[in-house]
Amino acid sequence: MLLCIDCGNTNTVFSIWDGEAFVSTWRIATDHRRTADEYFVWLNTLKKLHDIDGKVTEAIISSTVPRVVFNLRVLCSRYYDCRPLVVGKPGCELPVAPRVDPGTTVGPDRLVNTVAGYDRHGGNLVVVDFGTATTFDVVDDDGAYIGGVIAPGVNLSLEALHMAAAALPHVDITHPERVIGTNTVACIQSGIYWGYIGLVEGIVRQIRAERDRPMRVIATGGLASLFDQGFDLFDKVEDDLTMHGLRLINDYNKGLGA
C-alpha cells in the first residue's frame, strides 16, 4: 500500500492507497515537534479502527513546512521500511518540469495540484487551492506549471482582522444571506465571503485575458465547496486533488525505476 502525506502550514493529511482506491484519509494539525513515533502510534490506531490490515510498502510526501519532513522520513524508514519520495527534492521527478524564472522554488503542493489537474482535466487550467494561502496555479496545454498567484487564505484574513482591530471579534466564515450586514459579525462575514468571491472572479478574469484563451477553473482545499454555492466560479470542485496528484507522481517515478 502507498502512504500519501500532504503537509500544509495548518494541517497534515495522510491517505492510504491500496492499489485501487484511497481506503482512508486522516488529518492532524501540523507540528514540527511531532516525532516519528507519535505519527506511527496515531496512524496505527486509526488503521486498526478502520480495519485496514495491509502493510504500507511505499510513501510519498509533499510538504510546505520543511521542518516536518525529517520526522516524516524517519516514520517511513523506521516503521514502513521504505524511503519516501519527497516532491520538489532530488530523486522525485515530475511528468513535465515547471516553466518559471530561473532559481524559483515552486511550492510542492502547487506542483502536485498541477499534475493532478492536468491528468483529470487537461491543459489550459487554473487550479484554485483554498488553504492557509489561496493559490492560483496556471497549467499550460502540455501540463507544465507556468506560474500563478498567491493571496492570503480566508482563515488567515479573518485572523489578521481580529488581531489588528481590537474591537472586532473572531468569526467563522459562512455564506451570508445578505451582503449588507446589520451587526458586526454579519459585516465581517459578508466582507470576507464576498471579498473572496470578487478576488477569485477578478484574478481568473485577468489570467484568462493574459493567456488569451479559454481556461477551465478547478477548485480544491477545505473551503472550496463554500465558495461554490450557487455561483459559476468553478468548472469542478475536487476534494481529493492533492492525493490524486501524489499517487500519480509516485507511479511516474516507479515507471522511471526510482
Side-chain angles (χ1 to χ4, degrees):
M1 294 194 301
L2 169 67
L3 177 63
C4 296
I5 306 172
D6 174 35
C7 178
N9 290 291
T10 304
N11 293 311
T12 300
V13 181
F14 295 76
S15 195
I16 294 180
W17 173 264
D18 69 356
E20 297 182 358
F22 284 106
V23 293
S24 204
T25 298
W26 306 302
R27 186 179 301 264
I28 194 171
T30 299
D31 186 348
H32 71 272
R33 297 168 298 180
R34 187 170 285 115
T35 67
D37 302 330
E38 290 175 300
Y39 281 123
F40 177 73
V41 170
W42 177 74
L43 282 168
N44 202 43
T45 300
L46 287 170
K47 282 184 65 183
K48 289 179 179 178
L49 285 173
H50 290 80
D51 295 322
I52 300 173
D53 297 325
K55 181 182 178 183
V56 171
T57 57
E58 50 188 334
I60 182 168
I61 300 168
S62 168
S63 177
T64 58
V65 187
R67 295 177 71 184
V68 305
V69 174
F70 174 78
N71 281 327
L72 290 173
R73 285 182 183 270
V74 174
L75 165 72
C76 297
S77 61
R78 178 181 297 169
Y79 289 105
Y80 301 125
D81 194 28
C82 67
R83 181 176 180 271
L85 286 171
V86 180
V87 179
K89 299 296 184 182
C92 183
E93 300 294 332
L94 298 173
V96 183
R99 292 194 287 271
V100 292
D101 293 342
T104 299
T105 300
V106 181
D109 54 333
R110 309 183 77 179
L111 298 174
V112 172
N113 286 344
T114 295
V115 172
Y118 181 72
D119 178 72
R120 286 183 170 173
H121 304 283
N124 295 319
L125 197 69
V126 180
V127 180
V128 185
D129 189 350
F130 291 90
T132 304
T134 300
T135 59
F136 298 73
D137 304 323
V138 181
V139 185
D140 209 349
D141 54 9
D142 64 346
Y145 170 87
I146 57 171
V149 177
I150 301 175
V154 175
N155 288 319
L156 189 62
S157 295
L158 281 168
E159 188 65 27
L161 189 62
H162 171 61
M163 294 291 290
L168 297 180
H170 181 77
V171 303
D172 294 326
I173 182 64
T174 187
H175 181 181
E177 294 182 4
R178 303 175 60 190
V179 175
I180 301 173
T182 54
N183 57 69
T184 301
V185 170
C187 288
I188 295 172
Q189 289 174 332
S190 182
I192 293 292
Y193 187 84
W194 295 108
Y196 272 85
I197 291 289
L199 180 143
V200 172
E201 288 179 331
I203 289 177
V204 168
R205 181 171 59 249
Q206 291 302 116
I207 289 173
R208 285 172 169 157
E210 192 169 298
R211 294 283 291 160
D212 193 25
R213 68 190 69 183
M215 303 285 291
R216 301 192 72 197
V217 182
I218 309 302
T220 190
L223 292 176
S225 58
L226 178 65
F227 292 96
D228 192 43
Q229 298 181 11
F231 303 100
D232 192 24
L233 288 178
F234 314 120
D235 294 288
K236 184 79 171 178
V237 174
E238 302 268 12
D239 294 332
D240 65 340
L241 193 68
T242 303
M243 289 300 163
H244 179 62
L246 285 171
R247 181 183 68 81
L248 291 173
I249 293 171
N250 186 74
D251 287 349
Y252 179 75
N253 280 268
K254 284 172 65 176
L256 296 176

